[in-house]
Amino acid sequence: QVQLVESGGGLVQAGDSLRLSCAASGRTFSTYAMGWFRQTPGKEREFVAAISGSGGSTYYADSVKGRFTISRDNAKNTMYLQMNSLKPGDTAVYYCAANRIQYRTSRNSYEYDYWGQGTQVTVSS
């Protein structure tokens, strides 16, 4: 059982940067692959980025590649999403998720086992 809590969302202007954090409970954080997803009203949850348990492998959606960076600090049980050059299309509720298979950097939401409550990111034009 893993509990995840996102933070760092807010209202920013297009072109600005924002860093999201996901704090995880427990002492086995490094055994979980982690991912970031986002969702807007009326749409399915969309993959953003994923990272392996060790942090050695990352995977990004084409829509954010080159702008967003996923990272983790296993000593702090925390995962991050650095978002640069934000666009209005990035507006969404952002969720962190944990995958029990530590090397599985999957883009499929159904493969993740635990989810946070989400944090709102709003990008104005």
Side-chain angles (χ1 to χ4, degrees):
Q1 197 75 31
V2 175
Q3 292 180 313
L4 306 171
V5 180
E6 303 95 334
S7 62
L11 173 63
V12 298
Q13 297 184 45
D16 284 352
S17 296
L18 203 60
R19 189 178 78 159
L20 305 183
S21 298
C22 174
S25 65
R27 298 183 297 276
T28 59
F29 181 62
S30 64
T31 69
Y32 292 86
M34 300 290 295
W36 286 99
F37 291 77
R38 64 189 184 186
Q39 188 169 29
T40 55
K43 296 184 178 180
E44 296 295 321
R45 197 161 294 183
E46 175 190 18
F47 170 76
V48 177
I51 187 167
S52 61
S54 68
S57 181
T58 58
Y59 179 47
Y60 296 91
D62 289 342
S63 60
V64 306
K65 194 171 186 178
R67 298 189 298 121
F68 291 9
T69 302
I70 189 171
S71 62
R72 66 193 295 161
D73 187 338
N74 288 341
K76 297 180 179 179
N77 277 19
T78 303
M79 176 183 64
Y80 305 95
L81 183 68
Q82 178 66 45
M83 304 184 293
N84 297 329
S85 301
L86 283 162
K87 305 174 181 179
D90 296 318
T91 295
V93 176
Y94 283 71
Y95 298 88
C96 66
N99 192 319
R100 289 175 294 178
I101 308 301
Q102 63 181 345
Y103 54 81
R104 186 175 292 168
T105 53
S106 176
R107 64 177 295 124
N108 303 309
S109 61
Y110 57 82
E111 294 185 2
Y112 289 80
D113 303 291
Y114 306 101
W115 294 84
Q117 84 290 348
T119 186
Q120 177 71 47
V121 172
T122 302
V123 185
S124 63
S125 61

